Amino acid sequence: MTALDQARAWLAAQTTERTVLGLKLLAVLLAVWLVLVLGDRAHAARQAARVAEARLAAIADTADLDTWVARAAEARRLRAAWVDAGWSATTPGVAAARIQSELEAMARTAGVESLNATVSPDPLAVDGRQVLEFDFSIRGDEVAVLQLLSALSLHAPRLIPASVNARLDGRRTSLRVAGFAPYRKAAQPSEAADATD
């Protein structure tokens, strides 16, 4: 009898049903672990493939010259809309009155308790455009103040906040906002009539 045959015989004498069952359970657990590891690696590979595909699509999209021409045209259109969105009035005083009434309407809609608004009728030159300065302070509950801030954010580019200061004092909130409102002088009615003749 060889040493290998002796080892097999010794192993057969030592094994019981429990040992065989334990070895089978160990093999099953090892197989489950391998499946989980391979599944994680496959998922990571799929994610990497999706990211690479998205990057390739972005590169392919920007490599086309028509895409850049379309984006430049859209940027020019948005800039023109931004420039034309300012307050138009025959005098800066009329525009200041319109801005102040707009701020008061926003405060009423938001349910603010008190509003102190001032709009300067003296236009300033900022980045080659005429703007009017506005400044207002309000007091009210937090919900009303947040509603007013939300309404103010929807008025861009007609009302552009430059500084916002808030003070929370229990249920009352105080807010002070200063900013700019783009202004352009509208043609006088008589000038418009002369231009059409």
Side-chain angles (χ1 to χ4, degrees), residues 2-176:
T2 66
L4 185 60
D5 291 335
Q6 286 177 352
R8 282 185 188 162
W10 179 83
L11 188 58
Q14 296 297 321
T15 57
T16 62
E17 286 184 28
R18 287 187 176 185
T19 308
V20 172
L21 186 62
L23 288 174
K24 287 180 182 179
L25 182 62
L26 184 63
V28 168
L29 289 175
L30 182 63
V32 168
W33 177 76
L34 283 174
V35 167
L36 290 175
V37 167
L38 292 175
D40 285 345
R41 288 187 180 171
H43 179 68
R46 279 193 298 271
Q47 286 292 98
R50 284 188 196 122
V51 169
E53 187 177 287
R55 286 182 181 165
L56 181 62
I59 291 171
D61 184 38
T62 57
D64 186 14
L65 185 60
D66 293 337
T67 301
W68 291 107
V69 171
R71 287 183 180 180
E74 179 68 13
R76 282 191 293 276
R77 186 191 67 75
L78 289 173
R79 185 178 189 288
W82 182 274
V83 169
D84 292 340
W87 297 86
S88 177
T90 55
T91 65
V94 172
R98 288 181 181 166
I99 294 167
Q100 185 157 354
S101 67
E102 182 70 20
L103 291 172
E104 290 169 355
M106 285 175 19
R108 274 193 309 275
T109 303
V112 172
E113 292 175 16
S114 67
L115 169 75
N116 183 11
T118 58
V119 181
S120 172
D122 300 323
L124 300 172
V126 175
D127 291 335
R129 295 194 60 198
Q130 297 271 326
V131 297
L132 299 176
E133 286 183 291
F134 68 87
D135 184 358
F136 67 89
S137 58
I138 60 171
R139 278 195 338 232
D141 63 357
E142 291 178 15
V143 173
V145 170
L146 290 175
Q147 285 178 342
L148 182 68
L149 281 175
S150 176
L152 183 63
S153 70
L154 296 175
H155 274 74
R158 291 173 56 91
L159 298 172
I160 303 169
S163 74
V164 177
N165 296 313
R167 190 181 88 219
L168 301 174
D169 185 23
R171 290 188 166 181
R172 285 207 182 287
T173 301
S174 299
L175 179 76
R176 182 173 180 157

